[in-house]
Amino acid sequence: MSGTSRAEVDDASCIERSRRDPEVFAEVFRRHAADITRYVTRRLGEDAADDVVAETFLAAFRQRDGYDLSRPSARPWLYGIATNLMRRHVRTEVRQLRVVERTGADPVTASFAERSDERLSAEASRRRLAGALAALPKGHRDALLLVAWGGLSYAEAAEALGVRLGTVQSRINRARGRLRAELGGINPSATVSEESVCE
């Protein structure tokens, strides 16, 4: 991308250009589809994820005229759309978490190669964690998982959910406290983080 200015490569520029040339929106899909798919799959499973991801990018494409071009990254916007669409699948998400709680198999990380004792330990706590996640209030679960599994910052999660930064901080703090209590004092950040279970 040498010789190309930042304004030409950020998401906002692609979205702005896609208003005149719809095919340019494919670049936004190319940049973010894998991450959105991984996030939604982890929350809903593969079957529902395909539909939600397709609907997310279709909705984003249709809403691109209303995108705030002062925001260079479309990540929070796309995660927000996906999270809103997932609200129709709350029962599926809770069922998915109950499957992980029962089996210990995370559909996103299960395909990765076996690792060390650390991985076995993570799998053991994953069952309890999945049950605790399923029991969280939905708004708390959304905020926590956007940060932990979606990789969004607190500010991006607030943008994605359309709430204040303080609300996200409060929800995550409460969620972590509740998970810590459910896990018998284990730091939930160590088990919720994708990094700790799937490398």
Side-chain angles (χ1 to χ4, degrees), residues 1-185:
M1 298 223 180
S2 61
T4 305
S5 75
R6 183 173 178 268
E8 290 174 308
V9 298
D10 67 20
D11 293 334
S13 296
C14 288
I15 291 168
E16 181 180 33
R17 286 174 41 215
S18 77
R19 293 172 180 170
R20 297 181 304 277
D21 181 3
E23 290 188 15
V24 175
F25 197 81
E27 177 62 18
V28 176
F29 178 85
R30 188 194 62 75
R31 290 177 181 176
H32 300 289
D35 289 340
I36 297 286
T37 300
R38 187 171 27 258
Y39 174 70
V40 176
T41 300
R42 196 154 196 192
R43 293 192 65 173
L44 299 179
E46 287 183 28
D47 293 341
D50 289 343
D51 292 340
V52 170
V53 172
E55 289 172 33
T56 296
F57 282 95
L58 181 59
F61 181 77
R62 288 178 175 158
Q63 296 170 22
R64 70 191 190 283
D65 286 340
Y67 182 78
D68 179 356
L69 296 174
S70 69
R71 300 180 183 278
S73 173
R75 264 172 44 99
W77 180 58
L78 294 169
Y79 276 91
I81 292 170
T83 300
N84 283 335
L85 290 170
M86 283 192 294
R87 290 196 174 121
R88 291 182 299 173
H89 298 273
V90 171
R91 273 190 258 168
T92 303
E93 178 180 36
V94 171
R95 190 169 48 242
Q96 179 79 1
L97 287 168
R98 296 292 183 205
V99 167
V100 175
E101 178 184 27
R102 195 174 57 252
T103 65
D106 185 317
V108 173
T109 59
S111 61
F112 288 83
E114 289 297 319
R115 277 201 352 181
S116 59
D117 293 343
E118 181 182 310
R119 181 171 174 82
L120 292 174
S121 177
E123 286 182 3
S125 59
R126 186 179 305 138
R127 291 177 187 216
R128 292 170 55 200
L129 176 62
L133 285 171
L136 285 177
K138 179 142 184 30
H140 294 186
R141 188 169 54 237
D142 284 343
L144 180 68
L145 296 183
L146 280 169
V147 170
W149 289 353
L152 273 61
S153 67
Y154 281 32
E156 289 174 328
E159 185 182 334
L161 296 172
V163 298
R164 293 179 180 179
L165 176 60
T167 301
V168 165
Q169 291 169 328
S170 173
R171 286 178 181 177
I172 290 176
N173 189 38
R174 289 181 185 171
R176 284 185 170 151
R178 196 160 159 180
L179 293 179
R180 194 175 298 116
E182 291 284 332
L183 297 174

